[in-house]
Amino acid sequence: MGRDRLAALRAQRQNATPDPGQGGYEMQAHPSPSANGTGNGTGTDPLSAFYAEATAIQDSIQDFDDNVTRVAEFHSRSLNALDDAATQANTTQLERLTDETRQLSNSLANRIRALEKPAGAGPDAQIRKNRIDVVRTKFMATLQRYQDVERQYRQQYRQRVERQFKIVKPDATPDEVAAVVNDDQGGGGQIFAQALTSSNRYGDSRAAYREVQERHQDIRRIEQTLGELAQLFNDMATLLGEQEEKIDAIETAAAGVAHDTEGGQKHTEVAVKHARSARRKRWICFWLTIIIILAAVGIGVGVYFSQHPVKSSSSG
């Protein structure tokens, strides 16, 4: 009998042992919600998502800054190019990099705008504000650096145009130089073309004219970029002012709620004190009334008996 029970127990244990080939470990393919660190299965909490996006934006700002450095390098190469082929290749690369940098800067601006949406009052509001300030400041500093680079090389391109024009016309007046450098409404090209007809250095003059035309294109591209950067910088500055106003409004509202709550508590305490005082006064009035009634009754009884003395009966 004991052997039969032992055999039955062994069979029961074997049947209870999970078989890997029969899906005994199927639950391993479905981790619990707490396995991803959230604990509730709803994904990353808002503050963690905020920090992740802020970090990603800072990484992209570093890419933006690297692009600005490369733009400066291409401008330098363009000024030092020795032949038309090298100039053209450099110009093509610079245009491609400028377009890429423009898209990157616009994308960063949109992401920062999304990041700056007020999350309301709360313990994390100041933490968010401080981190956003760091991100925005870094982005605007890179925008400013990009503008400085473009202004620097725009000036150098203008100086190159002036030198090339003086090769063609060494006795050019300041007004003629300014007209050629600025190329207002194409007037500089006409002045340069007239100078070519009177120059005795035809080969050098033609090369100088071609370079002036190229530099004018470079200057126009730089001025377009500067206009876009200025607009973007102003948009970010305006957004900063708007966000500060919204945050101030939220903080003011939160302070008002706290003040109102504190005031309500004080009013409640005063009301409770008044209620207690009123109850005490009612009890005092009640007992005073009882005392007065009893005193009146006593006085009345005393007066009655004083006026109607009780006659005593005599014996015998």
Side-chain angles (χ1 to χ4, degrees):
M1 187 68 179
R3 292 181 180 179
D4 293 339
R5 289 186 61 187
L6 182 58
L9 289 172
R10 288 177 178 174
Q12 185 178 359
R13 290 177 182 176
Q14 290 176 355
N15 292 334
T17 303
D19 184 1
Q22 299 298 324
Y25 297 99
E26 183 179 358
M27 291 299 293
Q28 294 181 0
H30 302 280
S32 64
S34 60
N36 58 11
T38 62
N40 55 13
T42 58
T44 306
D45 64 275
L47 188 59
S48 297
F50 169 83
Y51 273 117
E53 175 63 4
T55 301
I57 291 175
Q58 286 185 288
D59 292 340
S60 296
I61 292 174
Q62 183 59 54
D63 294 338
F64 179 33
D65 191 72
D66 293 341
N67 279 12
V68 173
T69 300
R70 293 174 59 201
V71 166
E73 292 173 353
F74 277 117
H75 280 313
S76 179
R77 292 179 190 175
S78 179
L79 287 169
N80 297 320
L82 300 178
D83 54 58
D84 293 342
T87 300
Q88 185 59 43
N90 188 80
T91 299
T92 301
Q93 292 178 323
L94 179 57
E95 289 178 351
R96 186 182 302 114
L97 179 60
T98 301
D99 290 340
E100 175 188 330
T101 306
R102 179 185 299 111
Q103 294 175 10
L104 179 57
S105 62
N106 289 335
S107 173
L108 282 167
N110 291 332
R111 291 169 68 185
I112 293 174
R113 291 189 188 102
L115 196 69
E116 289 186 328
K117 291 181 179 179
D124 298 331
Q126 189 60 41
I127 297 176
R128 287 173 176 263
K129 182 179 181 300
N130 293 341
R131 187 61 181 270
I132 290 171
D133 287 343
V134 171
V135 173
R136 188 198 309 107
T137 300
K138 186 174 182 181
F139 177 60
M140 295 182 72
T142 306
L143 284 176
Q144 185 63 56
R145 177 172 174 256
Y146 195 6
Q147 292 180 77
D148 293 341
V149 167
E150 295 289 67
R151 291 191 189 100
Q152 173 188 346
Y153 282 99
R154 179 181 62 181
Q155 182 61 26
Q156 292 188 28
Y157 285 137
R158 285 176 171 174
Q159 292 172 351
R160 178 62 67 89
V161 169
E162 180 179 348
R163 287 196 297 269
Q164 295 302 317
F165 180 54
K166 287 185 175 181
I167 289 175
V168 178
K169 191 175 183 181
D171 59 345
T173 64
D175 290 341
E176 289 176 330
V177 171
V180 170
V181 170
N182 297 321
D183 194 26
D184 296 330
Q185 299 179 352
Q190 295 178 359
I191 295 174
F192 206 113
Q194 293 173 0
L196 283 175
T197 59
S198 59
S199 175
N200 56 4
R201 302 172 59 184
Y202 182 78
D204 292 340
S205 298
R206 294 298 299 178
Y209 184 58
R210 284 196 303 270
E211 182 171 0
V212 166
Q213 289 178 315
E214 293 170 355
R215 298 310 171 200
H216 279 155
Q217 293 177 0
D218 293 332
I219 292 172
R220 282 192 289 270
R221 281 193 292 267
I222 286 177
E223 289 177 344
Q224 178 184 352
T225 300
L226 283 172
E228 294 168 351
L229 291 174
Q231 183 61 50
L232 194 56
F233 192 92
N234 291 336
D235 290 346
M236 295 303 299
T238 301
L239 180 64
L240 171 60
E242 293 175 352
Q243 291 301 322
E244 288 183 344
E245 290 178 0
K246 292 178 181 178
I247 291 172
D248 290 342
I250 292 172
E251 292 177 348
T252 300
V257 170
H259 177 73
D260 293 342
T261 302
E262 183 180 356
Q265 291 175 346
K266 290 181 178 179
H267 287 307
T268 301
E269 292 174 358
V270 171
V272 170
K273 290 179 180 179
H274 287 173
R276 289 174 178 172
S277 177
R279 283 198 301 270
R280 284 196 301 270
K281 290 177 180 178
R282 283 197 298 269
W283 280 108
I284 292 172
C285 290
F286 172 77
W287 288 112
L288 285 175
T289 302
I290 296 297
I291 293 171
I292 291 172
I293 292 173
L294 292 175
V297 171
I299 293 172
V301 171
V303 171
Y304 175 80
F305 282 107
S306 66
Q307 295 177 355
H308 301 85
V310 179
K311 295 180 179 181
S312 61
S313 58
S314 60
S315 60

